[in-house]
Amino acid sequence: MPQTIAVLDFGSQYTQVIARRIRESQVYSKIYHYKTPASKLREDDVIGIILSGGPSSVFAKTAPIPDREIFNLGVPVLGICYGIQLLSFLLGGRASRSKQREFGNGTLTVTKPGRLFGKLPRKLQVWNSHGDKVIKLPEGFTAIGTTENSPFAAIEDRKRNFFGIQFHPEVFHTERGVEIIRNFLVRVCKAEQDWTTKDFIAHSVKEIKKQVGKSRVILGLSGGVDSSVAAALLHKAIRKQLVCVFVDNGLLRAGEREAVESLYKRNFKIDLRVVDASSLFLRRLKGVEDPELKRKIIGNTFVEVFEKSLKTIGKADYLAQGTLYPDVIESVAIGDNPASLIKSHHNVGGLPERMKLKLVEPLRELFKDEVREVGAALGLPKEVVWRQPFPGPGLGVRVAGDITKARLKVLRGADTILTEEMKKSGWYWKVWQSFAVFLPVKSVGVIGDERNYADVIALRIVGSKDAMTADWTRLPYDLLQLISNRITNEVEGVSRVVYDVSSKPPATIEWE
């Protein structure tokens, strides 16, 4: 087992980003609930601890507080944002509510580079997100960095190797943030940089075998990156114990069912069962306009269909899913931490409370680009590994408002044209996602000499690295014009095409 850096999660939506930055430095990291006993961390031979940020204030009655014995383990500790306030609060210093809260960009002035800021510029642009600040240092600590609003924006206890920083080094907005984390890992914790994608695969195979044993596992195979990599990883671990089920929910893109059958059943020789449940899904979604309710219905029906599939498959104890970490942190509070719900995902927040199958989710702690790396290492073809993300609820969350067969037909036609032109131009492989959305409005147009009152299609094309943040893509005007002309000319019922220029945040990538 490689050396382990423990990340204690206090409810921050960036906790997994911290863990990812550690893995990018080729060091193994593991996320622990903030209540994890120090004895467990000692048992796991952790060589360093990072205290994550979080939405709470240390002054709140329900503030998450860790086992104080973690400070007696003799390993380095780095507190980030809420973590630095905890260090002060628990070790004898003082924190207070700040009159001038810091959110967004700020300037860090490094006063003592030391091991944390060694070889970095004395001034760095950093990302802040806090309302409390340290006003008195615990005994043994000194200030090593300041910001406009805090004389103790970075602190250290050199003797005990305890560090605290008020900003977030894990996010892209912080200049040289990854190097700050790497300095803590390598220069402070003396970590060996020996963790790779192959290590993750080997570790996951071992964990899957341990969890599953001799049981059979069924997996919902959509043909997308997530489910495909999950299937490949599970197949490597348990072989014939895996049965993949493809559910036609009536919300697929044009030709998707046939493509999945051809690729996996014929080429990969995976035990694939196809279930046509399109009528069931569309019947239950009839008249439903609320996006959250749509996701719940799709999620519940999805699992119900799986459970019914057991009658033909035979006994199975586990349901495997390609759940990724962005799905999790937008849907539920991790480990009952006080993280905010953004939306339910069909394979996370939408699962019914009583489920007959236990879950196995081998990709649950990965971001999309990491999943692609795992897929490539497992030998999956480019068209699978680099396929753009497609939501589990399918076109159900790309038809705004009521879902009907007529609206789905229009959307499929527009989406097919968009995908064709994006691939022809090469832009498909450059962006994170490109898709069409059916809008529940009518627009006046002209066909020939006659007035036309027809549907509106929105194009959503964004760039991103991990789906946590995204920006709209500045597509060439000629390409946009070509796509728009083809959709309005070739898709019956469309009079207007609009382009979504919203970023995430404040918008999400999907419309629903």
Side-chain angles (χ1 to χ4, degrees):
M1 186 69 184
Q3 296 173 320
T4 301
I5 298 292
V7 181
L8 295 194
D9 183 12
F10 292 91
S12 171
Q13 292 189 1
Y14 294 122
T15 297
Q16 179 62 19
V17 183
I18 299 172
R20 176 183 169 185
R21 298 290 176 255
I22 298 171
R23 291 197 294 266
E24 286 176 350
S25 298
Q26 294 184 290
V27 177
Y28 178 68
S29 64
K30 183 176 179 181
I31 296 176
Y32 292 82
H33 191 281
Y34 71 87
K35 292 181 181 178
T36 301
S39 58
K40 171 60 176 174
L41 301 181
R42 182 183 294 109
E43 179 185 318
D44 287 357
D45 294 323
V46 301
I47 63 169
I49 298 171
I50 294 181
L51 310 177
S52 82
S56 299
S57 166
V58 291
F59 304 107
K61 292 182 179 180
T62 57
I65 303 296
D67 181 357
R68 294 172 187 248
E69 284 299 310
I70 64 173
F71 301 115
N72 296 321
L73 290 174
V75 300
V77 177
L78 171 63
I80 296 175
C81 196
Y82 179 78
I84 188 176
Q85 295 153 24
L86 273 177
L87 283 175
S88 177
F89 185 73
L90 298 177
L91 297 179
R94 286 180 59 196
S96 73
R97 297 188 184 279
S98 178
K99 293 181 180 179
Q100 291 179 300
R101 297 186 299 172
E102 288 186 299
F103 291 98
N105 288 317
T107 300
L108 175 76
T109 300
V110 178
T111 55
K112 294 182 181 179
R115 285 172 292 170
L116 203 60
F117 299 113
K119 298 183 179 181
L120 294 179
R122 288 301 181 97
K123 287 190 179 294
L124 295 168
Q125 293 301 303
V126 298
W127 183 262
N128 296 298
S129 180
H130 61 92
D132 297 341
K133 67 177 182 179
V134 176
I135 59 172
K136 180 184 177 182
L137 295 180
E139 184 177 350
F141 278 83
T142 58
I144 59 175
T146 65
T147 60
E148 301 93 319
N149 191 36
S150 176
F152 305 125
I155 62 177
E156 74 170 355
D157 180 331
R158 182 177 291 271
K159 184 177 180 180
R160 289 184 289 180
N161 280 325
F162 290 172
F163 297 82
I165 49 180
Q166 188 64 78
F167 57 92
H168 288 271
E170 70 273 21
V171 300
F172 287 110
H173 309 288
T174 292
E175 183 182 8
R176 312 287 285 269
V178 173
E179 293 177 56
I180 295 172
I181 293 175
R182 188 179 300 123
N183 282 342
F184 176 73
L185 301 174
V186 178
R187 303 184 69 190
V188 179
C189 299
K190 307 299 181 184
E192 297 289 339
Q193 295 175 278
D194 58 359
W195 180 250
T196 66
T197 299
K198 289 185 178 180
D199 291 321
F200 171 80
I201 293 172
H203 178 71
S204 295
V205 166
K206 181 180 178 181
E207 290 298 309
I208 291 168
K209 288 180 178 179
K210 180 180 177 181
Q211 179 184 3
V212 170
K214 300 293 184 180
S215 300
R216 295 182 79 196
V217 178
I218 58 173
L219 176 143
L221 185 62
S222 68
V225 181
D226 308 340
S227 65
S228 295
V229 175
L233 195 54
L234 284 159
H235 192 254
K236 182 177 180 66
I238 58 175
R239 298 295 177 183
K240 294 183 178 180
Q241 292 169 241
L242 174 67
V243 178
C244 292
V245 179
F246 179 81
V247 177
D248 184 347
N249 58 11
L251 305 169
L252 305 175
R253 290 169 291 191
E256 195 151 17
R257 173 173 168 175
E258 295 77 11
V260 169
E261 285 189 276
S262 175
L263 182 61
Y264 294 95
K265 184 179 285 186
R266 299 172 190 172
N267 297 335
F268 288 167
K269 309 301 181 184
I270 288 178
D271 187 353
L272 175 65
R273 317 291 177 90
V274 177
V275 179
D276 186 352
S278 55
S279 297
L280 175 64
F281 277 87
L282 294 179
R283 184 170 66 250
R284 291 184 176 178
L285 289 166
K286 184 177 181 180
V288 178
E289 296 186 0
D290 179 74
E292 186 69 7
L293 184 55
K294 283 183 186 179
R295 288 177 175 272
K296 294 287 186 181
I297 291 171
I298 293 170
N300 291 341
T301 306
F302 175 79
V303 176
E304 180 184 318
V305 170
F306 261 68
E307 290 178 332
K308 287 183 179 180
S309 298
L310 290 175
K311 295 179 180 179
T312 57
I313 293 174
K315 180 175 172 56
D317 297 311
Y318 287 91
L319 169 64
Q321 296 185 144
T323 308
L324 305 191
Y325 193 76
D327 301 336
V328 176
I329 60 180
E330 288 187 340
S331 300
V332 293
I334 309 303
D336 77 18
N337 283 328
S340 298
L341 169 69
I342 297 175
K343 62 185 177 182
S344 293
H345 287 258
H346 81 290
N347 52 357
V348 186
L351 292 175
E353 293 181 4
R354 295 186 61 185
M355 207 175 102
K356 298 177 183 178
L357 298 171
K358 293 174 283 187
L359 283 177
V360 53
E361 298 172 308
L363 309 178
R364 190 180 177 88
E365 293 187 352
L366 297 185
F367 284 89
K368 181 73 74 172
D369 58 325
E370 294 176 304
V371 172
R372 295 190 198 279
E373 291 176 9
V374 171
L378 289 169
L380 291 174
K382 177 185 176 182
E383 60 265 27
V384 173
V385 173
W386 291 103
R387 180 183 177 183
Q388 291 181 3
F390 186 62
L395 300 182
V397 292
R398 291 180 179 174
V399 172
D402 188 18
I403 300 171
T404 66
K405 288 186 177 180
R407 289 181 169 185
L408 286 169
K409 181 180 179 182
V410 170
L411 179 58
R412 287 190 181 102
D415 195 74
T416 297
I417 290 171
L418 173 62
T419 302
E420 285 177 0
E421 295 302 335
M422 290 293 287
K423 287 185 175 179
K424 283 181 183 178
S425 65
W427 273 92
Y428 181 90
W429 313 106
K430 299 176 184 179
V431 302
W432 179 263
Q433 270 178 281
S434 54
F435 58 90
V437 180
F438 182 97
L439 302 186
V441 295
K442 295 286 186 179
S443 172
V444 175
V446 177
I447 295 181
D449 294 325
E450 296 184 4
R451 177 181 183 274
N452 182 40
Y453 194 53
D455 300 319
V456 179
I457 290 292
L459 303 181
R460 181 68 163 148
I461 305 172
V462 299
S464 181
K465 186 169 179 64
D466 51 28
M468 295 299 297
T469 60
D471 194 17
W472 63 280
T473 299
R474 280 66 171 171
L475 214 61
Y477 291 155
D478 289 347
L479 179 56
L480 276 174
Q481 183 180 29
L482 173 61
I483 294 169
S484 176
N485 286 345
R486 282 199 60 193
I487 291 174
T488 52
N489 287 328
E490 298 176 31
V491 181
E492 185 177 356
V494 176
S495 65
R496 191 178 300 270
V497 175
V498 298
Y499 194 50
D500 184 346
V501 293
S502 307
S503 297
K504 177 184 179 181
T508 54
I509 293 177
E510 297 289 344
W511 275 52
E512 294 195 337

